[in-house]
Amino acid sequence: MIDRRRFAAAMLATTLMARTARAGGDPFALDGHFEQGGIARGQLPAGASDLRFNDQPVPVAADRRFLIAFDRDAPAAAVLAATGSGGHALRADLAIAPRAWNISRLDQLPKYPVPSAEFEARRPAELARIAAARAKQTLAEGWRQRFAWPATGRISTLFGSQRIYAGEPGAYHSGIDIALPTGTPVRAPADGAVILAAEAPFTLEGNLLMLDHGMGLSSAFLHLSRIDVAEGVVVRQGQLLGAVGATGRATGPHLHWGMMWRGARIDPLLAAGAMPA
Ligand SMILES: [Zn+2]
C-alpha cells in the first residue's frame, strides 16, 4: 500500500526540481519532469533545425513542438542541441535528477522457474512482435496531451522497483501496477494508434495491448482479460481499450501500464500525475 501523502510530497519535489532545471538558458522553452523516468516537451525556435538529444536526432512536428524523455537509469546530465536559423549552435544543458527507487535487498538467490519447452518455443516470436510494434511510427498526437490514468485503484508496484538477490540485481519493474478486479475497464490514457493487440495471450504479458502516441512514445497494457480494439485502429483519450485481468505471468488481477520513448523507459506516474481520489 502506497501512502498518498508521500506521493503528493514526491510530486511536489518533482515540480520544484523541474523549475530549477528550467532556470538556466533554454532556447527550447522546455517544460516537464527533469528526472529519471520523466517526459519534457518543448518547441524548436523558428528556422532552427537538426534537433538532437544526447547526439541522437529527435523528430519535430510541423508546429516545431517536440518531446524528449529520460530513461529510468538516465545519467545526471543530458544535452539538447540544434542548429539555429543563422547557423549558430543552440544548446540546453539539462540536469536530470536521480530518483530514490524502491530497492529491496534479499540475501538469497532468486528462484528462477525453469523455462518450459513451450515457453522457449513461443518466446522468440512474441519478442519479435513486440519489437516490430515498437518500431511502428504513426501520426498519433497523444504525445502532446496530458496523460490520464487508464484505470484508477491501489498502486501495488511502482515503476522502477527492483530486487537485488545476494548482490545480483534483478530486472527493475518496467511499469506501474494497479491492483483491480478482473473486468475493470481500461481506457486510453491519451490518443494513440493500436500497434499490437494480441489475439492470444503472450507467455509473460498475457493479453497485451500496445498504443503508439506518436513521436516514438508508446504505452503497453499487460495481463488484460479482454481486448476491445483491433490492431491498426486509432483511439481517442478515454476510449475503452479492454479490461483488467490476470493473463500471462501474474499473481493476481492487475493492470500493468508501461511507457517507452525511443528505448527509454518512462514512469507513467510522472506522465499522468497524481491519481484522482
Ligand atoms: Zn507490473
Side-chain angles (χ1 to χ4, degrees):
M1 186 81 182
I2 304 301
D3 183 341
R4 279 181 192 275
R5 278 169 304 179
R6 251 180 63 205
F7 257 163
M11 295 304 294
L12 179 62
T14 288
T15 308
L16 294 174
M17 274 188 277
R19 286 194 189 126
T20 312
R22 284 157 57 197
D26 170 14
F28 305 108
L30 288 166
D31 191 19
H33 293 285
F34 295 85
E35 59 185 297
Q36 292 175 330
I39 290 175
R41 298 175 184 85
Q43 188 167 32
L44 200 58
S49 60
D50 192 27
L51 183 66
R52 287 178 174 264
F53 177 62
N54 292 338
D55 266 338
Q56 297 296 312
V58 176
V60 178
D63 62 358
R64 309 194 313 275
R65 298 281 300 166
F66 65 86
L67 176 141
I68 54 173
F70 317 113
D71 184 62
R72 189 264 195 187
D73 295 323
V79 178
L80 192 62
T83 305
S85 55
H88 59 289
L90 300 173
R91 179 179 168 117
D93 287 279
L94 310 178
I96 310 305
R99 301 271 298 276
W101 304 114
N102 180 15
I103 309 273
S104 34
R105 290 173 197 281
L106 305 168
D107 292 334
Q108 75 275 26
L109 287 168
K111 293 189 196 101
Y112 289 124
V114 179
S116 68
E118 193 205 354
F119 176 84
E120 301 273 21
R122 287 173 59 189
R123 196 58 183 158
E126 293 174 356
L127 290 175
R129 276 196 68 190
I130 292 169
R134 284 198 183 121
K136 283 179 195 167
Q137 310 265 332
T138 77
L139 298 175
E141 300 218 84
W143 63 276
R144 297 175 183 272
Q145 296 171 318
R146 161 97 198 214
F147 275 58
W149 286 92
T152 57
R154 179 177 67 86
I155 292 169
S156 50
T157 311
L158 289 167
F159 171 82
S161 308
Q162 190 172 22
R163 282 181 176 171
I164 297 176
Y165 302 93
E168 291 280 321
Y172 66 82
H173 190 231
S174 62
I176 194 162
D177 285 351
I178 310 163
L180 287 164
T182 293
T184 305
V186 174
R187 298 184 181 280
D191 293 358
V194 179
I195 49 174
L196 195 158
E199 59 293 309
F202 281 30
T203 48
L204 301 184
E205 297 85 0
N207 288 318
L208 168 66
L209 177 69
M210 291 174 70
L211 291 184
D212 176 61
H213 302 295
M215 292 294 185
L217 187 68
S218 65
S219 281
F221 307 94
L222 279 61
H223 313 303
L224 302 175
S225 58
R226 195 183 77 225
I227 293 177
D228 295 336
V229 287
E231 220 164 279
V233 159
V234 171
V235 296
R236 294 288 171 212
Q237 186 173 51
Q239 189 173 328
L240 185 66
L241 300 175
V244 172
T247 55
R249 190 174 291 174
T251 49
H254 71 278
L255 177 66
H256 171 113
W257 174 25
M259 289 184 74
M260 279 189 94
W261 178 73
R262 300 165 78 84
R265 296 223 179 249
I266 307 308
D267 185 355
L269 182 66
L270 294 181
M275 197 183 284

